[in-house]
Amino acid sequence: MADIRTIVVNRSAYADNDAEADLLREYLFDHKTYLVNVMSSPGAGKTTTLIKLINSLKDQFKIGVMEADIDSDVDAISVAKETGVKSIQIHTSGMCHLDAGMTKSGLDAIGSNDLDLVFLENVGNLVCPAEFDTGAVLNMVILSVPEGDDKPLKYPLVFSKCDLVLINKIDTLEYFNFNFDACTDMIKFRNPNSTIIKISALKGENIEQVKTYLIDKMTEWRNK
Amino acid sequence: MADIRTIVVNRSAYADNDAEADLLREYLFDHKTYLVNVMSSPGAGKTTTLIKLINSLKDQFKIGVMEADIDSDVDAISVAKETGVKSIQIHTSGMCHLDAGMTKSGLDAIGSNDLDLVFLENVGNLVCPAEFDTGAVLNMVILSVPEGDDKPLKYPLVFSKCDLVLINKIDTLEYFNFNFDACTDMIKFRNPNSTIIKISALKGENIEQVKTYLIDKMTEWRNK
């Protein structure tokens, strides 16, 4: 076996936007608007999951969606068309993430004060979005079966920051080598308090379970 | 249909490392070391593709691999175990990409002057790695079928910068809705000079075609 060495080539130097994110959470609490930040790799199924979730929740809550992307509008158009809720596209002009200030600009643009629940679909990326607190009340990550069970090992920060982990595309399990036990163990190692739900957004499988989880969390937050 | 608006929340402000990357390419040319930068989303199959490619090329060329990751060593260990070539893990300490300086540090650490061909497996991310010229002679992106055919639309920069696009996991085509014509059109729109090869790294399908492409490109470069 060849020799393995490890070198550290740089250190992260991101600005701290924690204070701004905390202020945004206070603002959201004052307006009783629950903000959910949704993160994943490109193509893990964020938009499909949101469409299914919103359609299951929209009779009970006033919902808005902010779709962040480098420069296309396809997700905001899909969500608006498939759900009918207020939808806005946020262009990041090449930026790999959203921070609290950018999120606040999006909320102002969508007019969030009338909304009970806003989903923020972050840029498809498992690295940068986790480094910037958006000010969301709940952080969710979607990991899809075809990506492999080792992602919580390789992308530690996003899994350590997430309250809810959805393992999506479970309808394709038989075609991929995916070890749920190993994956779950690593997610729990990253964050023992996280909740894991297996779903197939395409087939609608276990979307009701996610809906119940979100309603419970929202109710708890509103009553605190 | 709900109203769609688009807001621009920020502008990218990355340091320009183009000059350093050009110097690195001159250095590589002087040493006749061909450097290939491999980019993709998390889980698109970079490591599996590299293992198959290296095993098909290692009798003809002295090869090295640099595996960039946030903080795990699993890829460098896999590549070393499966191919026997010189392999090194580069930890980025949370950084979402490699730049030319970090790449040069890796080449120094692996001792690239004796090598004909070095693969750099960049951080799994379709945004940041494309923004920093690593100094590689060839840029390759791997897009996998489960991610969806719309990725060249949503992640423009990486597809505009890549010479070679591998569409991986074609063995799973029947389980996903993936339109090859739409995808190919968008890749060609991003970069009319790119070459597209469909592969299944897992099954070894069309790896010979990628091998031939790389040998042709290396030969052309060495003789220029």
Side-chain angles (χ1 to χ4, degrees):
Chain A
M1 185 169 144
D3 180 41
I4 295 289
R5 280 174 299 152
T6 295
I7 58 164
V8 175
V9 287
N10 217 326
R11 294 228 152 260
S12 150
Y14 296 105
D16 182 0
N17 86 143
D18 288 357
E20 202 171 351
D22 285 340
L23 278 175
L24 181 52
R25 263 184 296 273
E26 284 176 29
Y27 171 89
L28 291 165
F29 189 74
D30 290 343
H31 292 84
K32 294 286 178 273
T33 303
Y34 196 78
L35 177 63
V36 179
N37 175 31
V38 183
M39 296 178 277
S40 84
S41 296
K46 291 186 293 304
T47 310
T48 308
T49 303
L50 285 182
I51 288 169
K52 292 290 165 85
L53 258 180
I54 290 165
N55 280 332
S56 80
L57 288 160
K58 70 183 181 189
D59 291 340
Q60 281 177 267
F61 303 98
K62 278 179 287 180
I63 299 177
V65 181
M66 305 191 291
E67 294 285 337
D69 254 314
I70 308 294
D71 82 347
S72 88
D73 295 341
V74 290
D75 287 345
I77 293 168
S78 297
V79 170
K81 200 170 132 190
E82 302 287 334
T83 69
V85 306
K86 248 187 186 181
S87 174
I88 194 171
Q89 186 77 45
I90 299 178
H91 279 178
T92 64
S93 295
M95 291 285 277
C96 56
H97 66 278
L98 292 178
D99 60 22
M102 296 151 89
T103 304
K104 181 67 167 66
S105 302
L107 290 166
D108 290 344
I110 203 171
S112 68
N113 292 350
D114 296 334
L115 301 173
D116 304 313
L117 174 60
V118 176
F119 291 101
L120 169 62
E121 182 177 329
N122 218 309
V123 179
N125 183 327
L126 282 186
V127 186
C128 320
E131 288 163 346
F132 293 86
D133 188 342
T134 58
V137 185
L138 187 94
N139 287 302
M140 179 196 297
V141 65
I142 303 178
L143 167 66
S144 65
V145 164
E147 291 170 69
D149 52 49
D150 62 351
K151 296 303 160 289
L153 173 69
K154 296 169 88 175
Y155 300 89
L157 194 64
V158 67
F159 289 92
S160 71
K161 296 238 169 144
C162 272
D163 308 290
L164 176 62
V165 180
L166 302 183
I167 303 184
N168 191 23
K169 306 192 188 181
I170 56 166
D171 54 303
T172 68
L173 250 180
E174 63 186 289
Y175 316 114
F176 296 95
N177 186 13
F178 190 97
N179 184 329
F180 268 116
D181 290 340
C183 189
T184 302
D185 286 351
M186 186 48 71
I187 292 167
K188 288 290 186 184
F189 174 74
R190 295 295 180 210
N191 179 4
N193 299 319
S194 61
T195 297
I196 303 168
I197 304 177
K198 300 175 192 177
I199 65 165
S200 165
L202 194 69
K203 311 278 184 193
E205 206 174 335
N206 295 342
I207 293 295
E208 281 298 304
Q209 204 180 326
V210 184
K211 173 185 172 179
T212 305
Y213 170 93
L214 282 179
I215 293 175
D216 287 351
K217 287 284 177 185
M218 279 176 71
T219 308
E220 189 185 306
W221 175 75
R222 282 171 164 261
N223 296 331
K224 81 178 179 184
Chain B
M1 185 169 145
D3 179 41
I4 294 290
R5 278 175 300 153
T6 294
I7 58 163
V8 175
V9 287
N10 217 325
R11 293 229 152 257
S12 151
Y14 296 105
D16 183 0
N17 86 143
D18 288 356
E20 201 171 351
D22 285 340
L23 279 176
L24 180 53
R25 262 184 296 273
E26 284 177 28
Y27 171 88
L28 290 165
F29 190 73
D30 290 344
H31 292 85
K32 294 288 177 275
T33 303
Y34 196 79
L35 177 63
V36 180
N37 174 32
V38 183
M39 296 177 278
S40 84
S41 296
K46 292 186 292 304
T47 310
T48 307
T49 303
L50 285 181
I51 288 170
K52 292 291 165 85
L53 258 182
I54 290 165
N55 280 332
S56 81
L57 287 160
K58 70 183 181 189
D59 291 340
Q60 282 175 266
F61 303 99
K62 279 179 285 180
I63 300 176
V65 181
M66 305 191 292
E67 294 285 337
D69 255 314
I70 307 295
D71 82 346
S72 87
D73 294 341
V74 290
D75 287 344
I77 293 168
S78 296
V79 170
K81 200 169 133 189
E82 302 285 335
T83 68
V85 306
K86 250 186 183 180
S87 175
I88 194 171
Q89 186 77 46
I90 300 178
H91 279 179
T92 64
S93 297
M95 291 285 277
C96 55
H97 67 277
L98 292 178
D99 60 22
M102 295 152 90
T103 304
K104 181 65 168 66
S105 301
L107 290 166
D108 291 344
I110 203 171
S112 68
N113 292 351
D114 296 333
L115 301 173
D116 304 314
L117 175 59
V118 176
F119 290 102
L120 169 61
E121 184 179 328
N122 218 310
V123 179
N125 183 326
L126 281 185
V127 187
C128 321
E131 289 164 345
F132 292 86
D133 187 342
T134 57
V137 184
L138 188 94
N139 287 302
M140 178 196 297
V141 65
I142 303 177
L143 167 66
S144 64
V145 164
E147 291 169 69
D149 51 50
D150 62 350
K151 296 302 158 290
L153 173 69
K154 295 168 88 175
Y155 300 88
L157 193 64
V158 68
F159 288 93
S160 72
K161 296 239 169 141
C162 271
D163 309 290
L164 177 62
V165 180
L166 302 184
I167 303 184
N168 191 21
K169 306 192 188 179
I170 55 166
D171 54 303
T172 68
L173 251 180
E174 62 186 290
Y175 316 114
F176 296 94
N177 186 14
F178 191 97
N179 184 329
F180 268 116
D181 290 340
C183 189
T184 302
D185 287 351
M186 187 48 72
I187 292 167
K188 288 291 186 183
F189 174 73
R190 295 297 180 208
N191 179 4
N193 299 318
S194 61
T195 297
I196 303 168
I197 303 177
K198 301 174 193 177
I199 65 165
S200 165
L202 194 68
K203 311 278 185 192
E205 206 174 335
N206 295 343
I207 293 296
E208 281 300 303
Q209 205 180 326
V210 184
K211 174 186 172 179
T212 304
Y213 170 93
L214 282 180
I215 293 175
D216 287 351
K217 286 285 176 184
M218 280 176 71
T219 308
E220 190 185 305
W221 175 76
R222 282 171 163 260
N223 294 332
K224 81 177 178 186

